[in-house]
Amino acid sequence: TRKAYGGAYVVMNSKHIRADVNYAWPSAEIAVMGSKGAVSIICRGDPDLEEREKEYVEVFANPFPTAKKGFVDDVIMPSDTRKRLCHDLKWLRNKVQKNPTKKHGNIPL
């Protein structure tokens, strides 16, 4: 993950849609929205928006709070990415996914 905001984060291989493994680099930004947009809404009328944006980035727009909540398995260095992905692909090679049986079809109405 480099930048993951809002709904795009959810649908692009997140734990919320049953992804097996999810990593982030230390420079990743994972938040509801970009820091500039979020600060402009949260701190509307504040004369020092640049300072508030820096605070927001330090607290929210990094992968560590997300990893602490379990939505990211690990924060890894970019140089370790290939090694970790190869290991995980070997680990998942024989995975058998079990989905619930369908109760009814999805006909167009």
Side-chain angles (χ1 to χ4, degrees):
T1 302
R2 182 174 170 266
K3 288 187 177 185
Y5 299 129
Y9 161 71
V10 173
V11 299
M12 294 195 320
N13 200 40
S14 71
K15 290 288 184 178
H16 305 291
I17 58 169
R18 298 173 39 188
D20 293 305
V21 182
N22 199 345
Y23 297 123
W25 291 349
S27 61
E29 294 180 21
I30 303 169
V32 173
M33 61 190 315
S35 57
K36 189 170 189 162
V39 169
S40 69
I41 293 170
I42 296 169
C43 303
R44 186 174 297 151
D46 192 319
D48 196 9
L49 286 179
E50 286 184 23
E51 184 62 34
R52 299 291 169 255
E53 187 175 349
K54 288 179 185 175
E55 291 172 6
Y56 182 90
V57 169
E58 287 177 17
V59 176
F60 297 109
N62 64 71
F64 300 105
T66 309
K68 190 174 181 179
K69 292 178 182 176
F71 300 138
V72 172
D73 293 312
D74 199 1
V75 179
I76 62 172
M77 296 304 294
S79 59
D80 295 333
T81 303
R82 181 183 304 258
K83 179 176 64 172
R84 296 292 292 267
L85 290 178
C86 289
H87 173 269
D88 292 339
L89 288 171
K90 288 178 186 174
W91 176 60
L92 292 168
R93 180 182 2 208
N94 297 320
K95 177 185 174 188
V96 177
Q97 186 160 343
K98 296 180 181 176
N99 290 325
T101 56
K102 290 185 178 181
K103 294 181 182 177
H104 51 79
N106 187 11
I107 61 169
L109 300 175

